[in-house]
Amino acid sequence: MTAPWQGRAGWPLWEVFVRARRGLSHTHVGSLHAPDAELALRNARDLYTRRQEGVSIWVVPAQAITASSPDEKDAFFEPAADKVYRHPTFYPVPDGAAHL
Amino acid sequence: MNTADVPVNAPGTPVRTTVDAPVNTPGTPARTTVDYLLGLGDDALVAAQRLGEWVTAAPELEEDVALANIALDQLGAARLLLSHAGELEGAGRDEDALAYLRSDREYRNCLLVELPNGDFATTMAKLLFLSAYQLPLYAALSGCADERLAAIAGKARKEVAYHLDHASIWTVRLGDGTPESHRRMRAAVAELWPYTNELFVADPAAPVDPAGLRSAFLANVEPVLETATLERPADGWGPDGGRAGLHTEHLSYLLAEMQVLHRAHPGARW
C-alpha cells in the first residue's frame, strides 16, 4: 500500500505567485510539490523568496488552473491580430480634447 | 511571511508571545561569559551540522531545501556567537579556531542537539524542542545588557520563529497523521523529552537565567503536542552535562566529520 506522501507522485503540484513589492501584482514564479496548502506556502517561502524577492505569496493547486491549450492558439489569439481598432492609438485625438 | 517580530503561530495554537524570562538589566551582577556564549554558539553550530546531514537525503526536494535553510540560519547565528566568544576571551581564537580546533570536552552545547537525527519524526521533535527553547531565549537576550549579544539575538529570534513554525507544522502532521507516523512521532517526543531538562538548569549569573524560560518553552510545545494528538510526556529525570563538556559519544563522531578537513589542511579555503 502506498500512502499519499510516499513518492513524488503523491504530493500534488502547486503553482507559486509572488508579489515583489507593494503595488505590483503577483507574478507566476514557478511550481513546487507539497502535501497541503500550508506547507506549499512555506516551501514557496524557502524556494522562491530566499533573496528578498517578495512581500506576499500565493500558492494555487496546479489542478485548479484551467489553461489555454497550444492547439487552440490560432482560434484563441489569431483573430485579435487584425483588429487594430481595439488599440486606443487607432483613434485620432479630437482637437481640443484635454486630459488624454 | 515571517518578517513580523512576533513569532508565527501554528494553526490551532495560541499566539506565542509569552516571554516571562527575567532579563538581567545593567546594574545587576550578571554578565556575558565566554562559556555562556560558547553554550549558545555550540547549540546552534551542532544543530546546523546535524540538520545539514539531511541535505540530499530529505524525504522531498522541498523539505531538503527547508532543512538546509534552517541549518544555515543556525550556522549564521553560531558564527556570530563564536566570534563574539573569541573576542571576549581575548586569546586570539576566531570562529574557525573555536569551531574546528576544540575537542568534545571543550564543547558547551546541550545534549539534545548532538543526538543523531534518527528518522524524520526524531529530527522534527529535536527541532521543535530546540526552537521552542531558543525563541524565548533569544527574545529575552535581545534586551540584555551586552549590546552585541542583544543584536545577534534580535536577528536570530526572527529566524527561530520560522524554525518553530516548521517543526510545529510537521509535528502536527505526523502526530495526527497515519498510525505509523503517529507511532514514530510519539516515540520521538517520548525519547527526547528528558533531554529538554538540561536546557532549563538554573544559572542565575547568566544574562538570561535558563530556569525562567521553561514556562515559555512549554507554552510553545504543549499546544503543538495537543493538536498533534500526542501525549505530553511526564517530567522526570533527564541527562545533562553538555554545558560542562560532558557529552554523549555521538558528539565525537560529529566533530570528527566536521573538523577533519580543517585539521588535515589548516586554514583551507574554497
Side-chain angles (χ1 to χ4, degrees):
Chain A
M1 196 180 83
T2 304
W5 56 87
Q6 286 174 341
R8 177 149 281 263
W11 277 17
L13 189 67
W14 302 76
E15 299 297 334
V16 182
F17 299 79
V18 171
R19 171 194 274 179
R21 290 197 309 275
R22 280 180 64 82
L24 297 181
S25 54
H26 286 73
T27 306
H28 185 243
V29 293
S31 57
L32 54 79
H33 290 88
D36 55 46
E38 210 179 350
L39 272 160
L41 204 53
R42 279 149 182 85
N43 289 345
R45 178 258 194 195
D46 287 336
L47 289 168
Y48 294 111
T49 64
R50 291 166 59 84
R51 299 170 191 89
Q52 294 189 301
E53 289 93 337
V55 295
S56 167
I57 303 173
W58 290 348
V59 289
V60 180
Q63 278 188 323
I65 293 178
T66 308
S68 63
S69 154
D71 298 339
E72 298 167 327
K73 188 163 73 78
D74 288 350
F76 263 58
F77 307 117
E78 186 71 28
D82 61 352
K83 297 183 173 57
V84 291
Y85 49 84
R86 290 182 178 172
H87 294 272
T89 49
F90 176 77
Y91 299 95
V93 180
D95 291 339
H99 310 302
L100 279 180
Chain B
M1 290 170 56
N2 192 35
T3 51
D5 270 334
V6 291
V8 184
N9 61 320
T13 64
V15 179
R16 304 182 185 101
T17 50
T18 330
V19 176
D20 50 8
V23 180
N24 288 311
T25 45
T28 63
R31 59 188 190 86
T32 318
T33 63
V34 174
D35 263 356
Y36 183 77
L37 290 172
L38 290 177
L40 298 175
D42 290 347
D43 280 358
L45 177 61
V46 174
Q49 183 72 10
R50 279 285 182 236
L51 287 166
E53 292 172 12
W54 277 103
V55 173
T56 74
E60 290 284 337
L61 180 63
E62 284 80 356
E63 189 58 31
D64 209 281
V65 175
L67 291 176
N69 259 348
I70 294 172
L72 288 173
D73 284 347
Q74 293 281 349
L75 185 62
R79 293 186 59 183
L80 296 170
L81 290 163
L82 292 182
S83 294
H84 187 17
E87 286 174 38
L88 188 66
E89 183 188 48
R93 293 200 287 183
D94 63 2
E95 52 177 310
D96 282 354
L98 288 170
Y100 293 129
L101 298 175
R102 278 182 302 152
S103 70
D104 56 344
R105 290 296 295 268
E106 296 167 280
Y107 264 73
R108 293 287 174 266
N109 59 280
C110 60
L111 304 180
L112 175 72
V113 294
E114 73 197 40
L115 297 177
N117 282 331
D119 59 11
F120 189 69
T122 305
T123 297
M124 284 302 118
K126 284 176 67 180
L127 185 60
L128 175 68
F129 296 158
L130 176 68
S131 56
Y133 152 74
Q134 282 182 327
L135 184 58
L137 170 64
Y138 285 143
L141 282 175
S142 64
C144 78
D146 180 340
E147 283 180 18
R148 182 166 169 186
L149 177 57
I152 296 169
K155 176 180 180 293
R157 72 183 277 201
K158 294 177 194 171
E159 297 169 343
V160 166
Y162 189 77
H163 307 170
L164 177 58
D165 178 68
H166 191 83
S168 300
I169 279 182
W170 273 116
T171 301
V172 168
R173 275 156 184 70
L174 295 172
D176 193 17
T178 66
E180 174 68 1
S181 72
H182 178 83
R183 183 186 68 76
R184 284 172 179 258
M185 197 69 232
R186 187 182 57 190
V189 167
E191 182 195 343
L192 295 170
W193 189 262
Y195 288 91
T196 63
N197 281 12
E198 183 186 11
L199 304 173
F200 308 108
V201 173
D203 180 7
V208 170
D209 187 346
L213 298 168
R214 188 147 195 274
S215 59
F217 166 83
L218 292 174
N220 286 335
V221 168
E222 285 175 343
V224 175
L225 296 182
E226 190 179 341
T227 309
T229 71
L230 296 165
E231 193 182 330
R232 175 219 191 274
D235 295 318
W237 177 86
D240 61 16
R243 302 286 184 225
L246 303 172
H247 294 280
T248 67
E249 71 273 27
H250 305 296
L251 182 66
S252 309
Y253 290 100
L254 180 147
L255 292 181
E257 184 171 297
M258 188 177 86
Q259 297 178 337
V260 61
L261 188 83
H262 188 90
R263 288 186 186 272
H265 306 279
R269 307 189 70 86
W270 63 78

